[in-house]
Amino acid sequence: MTVPLKILVPVKRVIDYAIKPRVNASRTAVVTASVKHSMNPFDELSIEAAVRLRESSSSSSSNTPYSVADILALSIGPAKCSDVLRTAMAMGADRSIHVAVEDQGKDAGGGGEGELEPLGVAKVLQEVVKREGCNLVILGKQSIDGDNGQTGQMLAGLLGWGQATQASKIDIVPGEGGGNEDAAAKVEVKCEVDGGVETLRSRIPMVITTDLRLNEPRYASLPNIMKAKKKTLEKMTLADYGLEESAGARRLRTLKVEEPPPRQGGGKVADVDGMISKLKELGAI
């Protein structure tokens, strides 16, 4: 039995990974104005994973137990999020949804930028899954700005779905025969853990968060960038999902943001005895 997959891939617009963040003068947030932004690197992995699942299922030489019916990219944030959605569609997503959440400024504690917290994002994704009929969500394990690493787990809890986090390999495998549940295709995910690799297998629907070693994202070619301009980009709001109050509620307050202390310079020793003496001076041995 072939399982049609409707894949949701959330993507976030963040400060480009090559840019060194700067803390603002009041030490309440990172400066984002006039700074280059791009798609969160972990979300690029998620888009690539979804596209590769489609390519694998459509290959003439494959006999996969699934087909990819739809790849939907979604971003929550200000108007400029449409840029990363166009990139996602140029990489292979079929269509996209932009849930507009404008920057509301700093919170009551003088920190933050008014963006949704992980639980709020998970609630929006839950509603999107229900409305769009998605049965597989692939998202980055974290965003490189907040580094919360919570949204995927919260979404799985809200939906009551199985989950696999920090995936380094994703496969859809045939069922094991027997009853209806056993006969259905399964998602097999390999996750890197301390001391080895953990392999998880779960029924669809499922939530998967991606890690860096999963794949190498493709570059969006110029022809695909032009094609992406013709793909559907739907504009929505929190009110459209009935979440204007619950998703936007703030539960966290940023007290202070500080840059890490500068690293101390290293030293050289002439030989092993010198290294041992130095380590004893530092109290390391």
Side-chain angles (χ1 to χ4, degrees):
M1 181 175 64
T2 301
V3 177
L5 297 179
K6 298 188 71 174
I7 305 175
L8 172 64
V9 185
V11 297
K12 187 176 183 182
R13 178 178 177 267
V14 299
I15 294 176
D16 190 86
Y17 72 92
I19 302 296
K20 181 181 178 180
R22 294 182 294 109
V23 177
N24 63 13
S26 58
R27 294 188 178 182
T28 56
V30 172
V31 176
T32 58
S34 302
V35 177
K36 181 183 177 183
H37 286 66
S38 59
M39 188 189 302
N40 179 44
F42 291 101
D43 299 336
E44 291 181 343
L45 300 169
S46 303
I47 288 287
E48 180 67 24
V51 174
R52 290 191 185 189
L53 285 175
R54 163 172 285 164
E55 291 173 345
S56 177
S57 67
S58 60
S59 172
S60 59
S61 60
S62 66
N63 186 23
T64 55
Y66 69 95
S67 62
V68 177
D70 184 41
I71 300 176
L72 170 62
L74 177 138
S75 189
I76 305 170
K80 291 183 179 180
C81 287
S82 59
D83 295 341
V84 296
L85 288 172
R86 292 295 181 192
T87 301
M89 291 189 288
M91 291 175 66
D94 299 309
R95 57 194 180 96
S96 61
I97 295 176
H98 173 210
V99 181
V101 177
E102 294 302 326
D103 185 355
Q104 299 171 356
K106 299 173 184 176
D107 60 28
E113 297 185 296
E115 67 177 25
L116 296 190
E117 294 173 358
L119 181 58
V121 175
K123 288 181 177 180
V124 175
L125 297 179
Q126 179 188 21
E127 290 301 314
V128 173
V129 165
K130 292 178 179 179
R131 291 197 184 191
E132 301 295 332
C134 302
N135 56 4
L136 182 62
V137 182
I138 306 177
L139 68 162
K141 70 171 185 178
Q142 66 192 74
S143 61
I144 62 172
D145 51 1
D147 280 334
N148 293 300
Q150 300 171 345
T151 303
Q153 293 88 327
M154 288 178 172
L155 175 61
L158 291 172
L159 292 170
W161 289 6
Q163 62 172 307
T165 59
Q166 303 182 65
S168 58
K169 186 177 181 181
I170 302 173
D171 290 310
I172 313 293
V173 298
E176 300 169 354
N180 291 335
E181 290 187 355
D182 292 332
K186 304 288 196 303
V187 183
E188 188 173 280
V189 181
K190 293 186 184 298
C191 313
E192 294 188 358
V193 296
D194 292 342
V197 176
E198 178 182 53
T199 301
L200 302 174
R201 182 175 290 186
S202 175
R203 295 191 301 270
I204 298 169
M206 188 178 186
V207 176
I208 302 172
T209 69
T210 58
D211 206 349
L212 288 174
R213 276 176 278 276
L214 176 61
N215 57 49
E216 184 174 344
R218 69 194 65 195
Y219 288 101
S221 65
L222 181 58
N224 287 336
I225 292 173
M226 300 305 293
K227 290 177 183 177
K229 293 181 179 180
K230 298 180 181 180
K231 293 184 178 180
T232 302
L233 196 164
E234 187 177 1
K235 301 282 187 178
M236 302 291 285
T237 65
L238 294 179
D240 293 328
Y241 294 107
L243 296 171
E244 193 167 14
E245 295 183 4
S246 63
R250 298 196 64 78
R251 300 167 179 82
L252 306 174
R253 184 176 67 175
T254 302
L255 301 178
K256 184 187 293 185
V257 178
E258 294 181 321
E259 293 187 11
R263 297 182 63 180
Q264 299 294 325
K268 291 184 179 182
V269 293
D271 50 30
V272 174
D273 292 336
M275 181 180 68
I276 294 174
S277 299
K278 189 67 176 179
L279 291 175
K280 288 181 177 179
E281 289 178 15
L282 297 172
I285 58 174

